[in-house]
Amino acid sequence: VDEFGLIAKYFSPLTKGYAGAHNLTDDAAFITPVAGKVLTVTTDTLVEGVHFLPHTAPDLVARKALRVNLSDLASKGAKPFAVMLNSVFPRDFGSDWIGRFAAGLSQDLDAFDCCLIGGDTVASVGPLTIGITAFGWSDPACCPHRSGAKAQDDIWVSGTIGDGGLGLLAAQGKLPDPGGALQSRYDLPEPRIALGQAIAPWVSAAMDISDGLLQDLGHIGKASGLGAEVFVSLIPLSASYGHSGYGGLAALTMGDDYELLFTAPADHADQLLRLAQTANVDITRIGRMMVPMGIICRDQDGQDVTPLRRGWQHFS
Ligand SMILES: [Mg+2]
């Protein structure tokens, strides 16, 4: 099957009738603005051997690539509606592999009420590489940035921290994972879309955690011109994480959480907890923003236990 045959067979159906996608037969897609909304756009690329293990099932590759992008939109309070897909498939991948990839993508596009509106498909000798660009609509008054945190704001996270990082170790056979709970957090992160939209009017800054909580909190601190204090004993950990023998401090530097990290004035706490309950996601206060720059982690006795390495970096 050639490029155009592949697109017609496997990817055109994923437009799910979106008129501006023209069934993936045109040079560009057309997005009609929605009155009173901001178009919010993000892109993330996954490379085999860097973001997922070699020989990962094709449907899981597609679903993770979509979900990490939707997680970014969620952190900005956006409701996703469309994506573009840039795929670099190794030359020896047959149409069976690509068909299973498209089926996985279709499943999650349905699950998150999105469609495919365009992209590019090439064959290469390099590793499998999947780039997705995701589009969402936001309320213009509720687009949280990294830069809006204020001194004394509470720092919150959604869900539990560290499971994705341990999931990678489990997938590599380095950690027992009975039932596969940890690996499923690594393979299929859950973008917090409903929560992100609900809390957007009430937060001062927000992002999703992809490269380690401490490192990503450092981004909020830097952008906001502030430091932060994090209390390790408050970090929410899952039962599976607890059984692993790793402590809360280790969870702060592991990647692949795809939970929301946000700051808010202390008097918004009750409202945030109510909204999180409605969205059916736990949220936990883990610290506060402070005037002195830098991130400090404290144990139960108030001792400084800040680790030297904060998270994952591509160029180090
Ligand atoms: Mg992000």
Side-chain angles (χ1 to χ4, degrees):
V1 195
D2 67 7
E3 178 191 346
F4 305 108
L6 277 178
I7 293 169
K9 183 170 181 192
Y10 295 117
F11 294 109
S12 294
L14 307 193
T15 62
K16 303 182 190 287
Y18 188 89
H22 291 272
N23 246 344
L24 308 185
T25 56
D26 212 322
D27 304 285
F30 302 87
I31 296 173
T32 305
V34 171
K37 294 288 183 184
V38 172
L39 180 59
T40 306
V41 184
T42 189
T43 193
D44 244 323
T45 303
L46 267 57
V47 180
E48 180 167 31
V50 179
H51 300 93
F52 58 91
L53 297 173
H55 314 298
T56 298
D59 57 320
L60 288 181
V61 173
R63 295 171 71 192
K64 183 167 186 179
L66 176 65
R67 285 165 178 240
V68 301
N69 277 279
L70 299 187
S71 177
D72 273 319
L73 288 184
S75 76
K76 303 295 119 177
K79 179 172 172 29
F81 69 95
V83 302
M84 299 189 87
L85 168 70
N86 281 27
S87 9
V88 180
F89 294 124
R91 288 189 189 284
D92 56 354
F93 276 28
S95 61
D96 173 60
W97 196 98
I98 294 170
R100 288 160 63 201
F101 174 89
L105 187 60
S106 180
Q107 177 186 346
D108 269 6
L109 286 171
D110 282 344
F112 297 106
D113 201 15
C114 291
C115 63
L116 180 68
I117 61 170
D120 194 19
T121 304
V122 299
S124 144
V125 293
L128 170 65
T129 303
I130 303 297
I132 285 186
T133 303
F135 303 85
W137 298 117
S138 304
D139 184 330
C142 313
C143 300
H145 301 280
R146 293 181 177 187
S147 57
K150 301 282 187 292
Q152 301 305 318
D153 277 357
D154 289 330
I155 301 165
W156 296 81
V157 292
S158 66
T160 55
I161 301 301
D163 301 296
L166 290 190
L168 171 59
L169 295 179
Q172 291 169 324
K174 297 175 181 170
L175 188 77
D177 183 23
L182 293 170
Q183 192 180 336
S184 78
R185 289 289 306 271
Y186 176 75
D187 286 339
L188 287 177
E190 189 63 46
R192 304 300 192 184
I193 296 168
L195 177 68
Q197 287 176 79
I199 64 175
W202 302 92
V203 304
S204 51
M207 65 184 297
D208 70 331
I209 308 171
S210 54
D211 296 335
L213 192 158
L214 284 190
Q215 182 164 302
D216 287 332
L217 180 58
H219 294 317
I220 287 181
K222 201 170 177 191
S224 302
L226 293 170
E229 194 171 40
V230 171
F231 299 98
V232 178
S233 60
L234 300 182
I235 301 304
L237 303 173
S238 70
S240 307
Y241 189 98
H243 294 142
S244 72
Y246 284 82
L249 197 57
L252 294 176
T253 61
M254 291 184 187
D256 286 282
D257 287 311
Y258 297 103
E259 295 292 350
L260 298 187
L261 171 66
F262 52 99
T263 62
D267 60 2
H268 289 173
D270 290 343
Q271 176 69 3
L272 288 167
L273 288 165
R274 271 194 296 274
L275 293 167
Q277 199 168 26
T278 306
N280 212 13
V281 183
D282 288 333
I283 60 171
T284 308
R285 244 177 308 187
I286 60 164
R288 61 174 169 246
M289 302 303 292
M290 299 196 307
V291 171
M293 293 292 287
I295 311 275
I296 299 174
C297 300
R298 296 200 184 280
D299 68 10
Q300 265 161 318
D301 304 320
Q303 295 296 312
D304 182 343
V305 291
T306 313
L308 285 177
R309 187 184 150 277
R310 286 188 185 174
W312 166 260
Q313 292 201 358
H314 280 282
F315 296 98
S316 63

